[in-house]
Amino acid sequence: MRIGIFDSGIGGLSVLNEAYHRFPDQEYIFYADTRHVPYGTKSENEILHFVDEIVQFLITKNVDAIVIACNTATSVAVAAMREKYSLPILGMEPAVKPAVEKNGDEDKRILVMATPVTIREKKLAKLLMRVDVRHKADLLEMPELVCFAEREEYDSDSVRDYVRQRFMTVNATDEKYSSLVLGCTHFNYFKPMYREILGDKVQLIDGNYGTIRHLGEVLDITMAKEGDSGLIFNTPQDIVVTFKTTYYESGDEITDNIRLSKYLRMHNRLEFVRNFH
Ligand code: DGL
């Protein structure tokens, strides 16, 4: 099968990376809308327009299914895209349900981080109404974090100060919160920092596994078990050839090793952060 996965930028690679682990034999087209990143501070109309263009582009590449590897784009556009096109279109949503289930009867709360658009869209309100019946979730906008990720700035003093300040606005500690839900795919790159700031007791929960498992069900393909060791990417060709992937940035195919090495770095970072739960 050929699977199209897209995001505004590098966040969607965390979903692609999960797909590599679970469906190593499929073929992938990854599309980052680098010309328009970030989506999370743009208008709904703009986002809808970008998403529609990308979906049309991926359809011309004969994909069997599309994964919108972006919570923001999903919130705004997944319903409209499903109405307009007939192929399976999957989206992301903040993994509040597993966080509520893990929290159980504890008195602790759940912190859901996302972009401003995801937080103000009705889709999240509806999700909370359905799964957060005991009103345990607090929402936290992180408007700048996507740009830190795009600059590959995962560990600088300025990103650390930014995350600390945002956490302080809700008094985030491991006494207060049982889990931190990463409601934006770009937020995966910072897992070690959340752990450092919040301590070991807070669970870090993303929606990647859930989305990829759902993809397997929709396409009726069998999921590989989690291996003992991570994937090892040594050269750009490892990701392109081993995982039969074509990478695009806003419509341009990325073929040169210099630009592909950015993807290599991202996948290696994602392999590293994968062990932080
Ligand atoms: N990765 C996108 C998400 O999951 C980030 C959107 C943006 O570009 O702001 O929401």
Side-chain angles (χ1 to χ4, degrees):
M1 298 264 181
R2 184 180 291 168
I3 300 159
I5 299 186
F6 77 89
D7 180 31
S8 59
I10 61 168
L13 291 171
S14 64
V15 182
L16 178 65
N17 210 67
E18 186 67 35
Y20 285 169
H21 278 266
R22 305 296 176 174
F23 307 122
D25 301 327
Q26 306 304 320
E27 189 180 336
Y28 298 96
I29 297 195
F30 180 80
Y31 187 117
D33 195 5
T34 43
R35 210 172 291 150
H36 301 122
V37 66
Y39 282 0
T41 48
K42 296 211 166 52
S43 77
E44 273 75 357
N45 269 345
E46 281 175 295
I47 297 168
L48 194 59
H49 175 75
F50 300 149
V51 171
D52 199 1
E53 274 199 347
I54 299 169
V55 168
Q56 286 181 35
F57 177 88
L58 291 172
I59 289 174
T60 66
K61 301 289 169 200
N62 294 319
V63 294
D64 297 292
I66 293 177
V67 180
I68 305 182
C70 173
N71 293 260
T72 309
T74 302
S75 311
V76 173
V78 73
M81 293 304 108
R82 285 179 183 149
E83 212 162 281
K84 193 165 172 188
Y85 303 102
S86 59
L87 81 173
I89 300 181
L90 288 85
M92 304 287 303
E93 67 181 13
V96 183
K97 192 161 176 255
V100 169
E101 281 162 7
K102 284 193 174 130
N103 197 37
D105 292 330
E106 269 197 68
D107 283 335
K108 287 189 181 180
R109 302 192 58 77
I110 293 158
L111 185 58
V112 182
M113 303 196 295
T115 66
V117 168
T118 301
I119 292 208
R120 74 169 177 254
E121 276 294 304
K122 283 198 207 74
K123 202 168 189 307
L124 181 57
K126 282 190 194 153
L127 173 73
L128 292 175
M129 236 164 19
R130 214 173 54 238
V131 303
D132 182 27
V133 284
R134 296 173 66 212
H135 305 290
K136 291 286 188 182
D138 294 330
L139 305 181
L140 183 63
E141 285 184 13
M142 295 293 239
E144 308 293 331
L145 207 48
V146 168
C147 294
F148 279 112
E150 288 292 326
R151 291 197 296 269
E152 298 182 47
E153 211 179 320
Y154 315 126
D155 200 31
S156 66
D157 289 343
S158 27
V159 72
R160 187 170 282 99
D161 286 349
Y162 175 71
V163 172
R164 266 188 213 283
Q165 273 172 19
R166 296 301 300 146
F167 281 169
M168 251 155 49
T169 62
V170 288
N171 296 319
T173 62
D174 56 357
E175 293 303 310
K176 182 172 176 186
Y177 291 106
S178 64
S179 51
L180 178 66
V181 175
L182 312 184
C184 167
T185 49
H186 278 79
F187 295 176
N188 285 285
Y189 292 93
F190 305 96
K191 282 180 174 174
M193 184 186 304
Y194 312 136
R195 173 68 62 248
E196 178 197 314
I197 298 175
L198 295 174
D200 289 339
K201 282 187 276 180
V202 178
Q203 297 233 27
L204 309 176
I205 305 182
D206 66 67
N208 291 347
Y209 173 71
T211 296
I212 290 305
R213 191 188 50 201
H214 186 203
L215 178 69
E217 287 162 7
V218 169
L219 294 179
D220 201 15
I221 46 180
T222 309
M223 201 155 82
K225 294 230 164 42
E226 172 76 78
D228 293 336
S229 56
L231 307 171
I232 299 167
F233 301 111
N234 293 315
T235 69
Q237 295 315 318
D238 284 347
I239 46 176
V240 173
V241 178
T242 316
F243 293 99
K244 290 175 270 174
T245 309
T246 315
Y247 291 86
Y248 288 90
E249 290 181 356
S250 296
D252 299 333
E253 186 177 340
I254 308 303
T255 49
D256 61 288
N257 274 353
I258 293 177
R259 285 163 84 197
L260 277 172
S261 47
K262 178 177 116 189
Y263 290 89
L264 179 72
R265 278 199 308 280
M266 301 296 114
H267 282 294
N268 284 332
R269 172 78 187 173
L270 289 163
E271 283 305 300
F272 170 62
V273 301
R274 200 177 159 76
N275 300 320
F276 290 76
H277 306 285

